[in-house]
Amino acid sequence: MSEGQWTSKSMPYLTPRAEGEPDAWTAEAAARGHWGGQRILYAGEQPASEDIARMLRVPAGEAVVRRRRIVELDGFPCELTDTYYPAAFAVGTPLAATAKIRGGAVTLLAELGHVGVRAVEEVTARLASDEECGHLHIEPGEPVLLLSRVTLDAADRPIQGDVMVMPAHRGQLRYETRIG
């Protein structure tokens, strides 16, 4: 792994934090001697696109809550993330506002009674869009990794959908599987 790359695991981002603990990204970065932060660019209701509707199992065009963030490492953008929630439980909560959520959104979801027990992730690669190049400080034509994740509760209902875009040359995803 070359300098500037980051290997990340998904599990900490699916687990609610204990009271007083920072969000998973802040904690992961600090454990490695870095500063992890995020800037929230947008939060609010919008109609679900066909892809997001499939992810959250709602009709296309139905209102969902979206949070768009730039995730930063030592003040430099490393990920552009759009997170979506069913409007039925997210409207009127901090999920629909631009303030940082103490302990992270997964912790707030658990406090609201929505605990994820399973996540399904898909990873693809493509070239960055012009907008993504601007947000991530990369050149046009550079490849990005696209990680799409849906988190499901014990009743197999989607409670959160994430679409994360990362410069391919700056990161690496690591998966661990337990059998039995």
Side-chain angles (χ1 to χ4, degrees):
M1 182 164 62
S2 66
E3 188 176 338
Q5 276 194 322
W6 190 271
T7 301
S8 184
K9 297 186 275 186
S10 296
M11 201 61 197
Y13 298 90
L14 304 172
T15 308
R17 312 296 288 176
E19 188 171 334
E21 284 187 327
D23 63 86
W25 173 241
T26 302
E28 180 181 359
R32 296 182 187 191
H34 295 276
W35 175 82
Q38 52 185 293
R39 288 184 287 126
I40 300 169
L41 303 178
Y42 172 85
E45 290 181 64
Q46 72 175 54
S49 68
E50 290 198 20
D51 287 343
I52 299 308
R54 255 191 313 282
M55 184 183 270
L56 293 180
R57 297 185 202 150
V58 299
E62 181 172 301
V64 295
V65 167
R66 173 184 175 209
R67 285 176 68 87
R68 172 165 261 211
R69 313 181 302 288
I70 294 179
V71 178
E72 298 175 326
L73 181 63
D74 297 330
F76 193 77
C78 59
E79 179 178 302
L80 177 64
T81 300
D82 287 301
T83 303
Y84 300 88
Y85 306 95
F89 62 77
V91 169
T93 72
L95 296 169
T98 57
K100 189 169 179 180
I101 298 171
R102 185 180 308 267
V106 172
T107 301
L108 176 62
L109 283 170
E111 291 169 4
L112 296 172
H114 304 284
V115 176
V117 299
R118 183 169 73 94
V120 178
E121 295 184 350
E122 293 181 11
V123 180
T124 57
R126 62 169 170 73
L127 299 180
S129 70
D130 290 341
E131 179 184 19
E132 292 162 349
C133 287
H135 286 306
L136 295 170
H137 300 176
I138 58 177
E139 296 298 317
E142 286 196 40
V144 292
L145 296 175
L146 182 71
L147 171 62
S148 297
R149 173 193 304 139
V150 62
T151 305
L152 304 128
D153 67 10
D156 206 40
R157 290 180 302 241
I159 59 170
Q160 178 174 311
D162 297 288
V163 179
M164 297 162 260
V165 179
M166 300 158 266
H169 68 283
R170 288 191 209 144
Q172 174 180 323
L173 301 171
R174 179 175 178 219
Y175 291 88
E176 295 180 15
T177 304
R178 293 188 192 271
I179 310 279

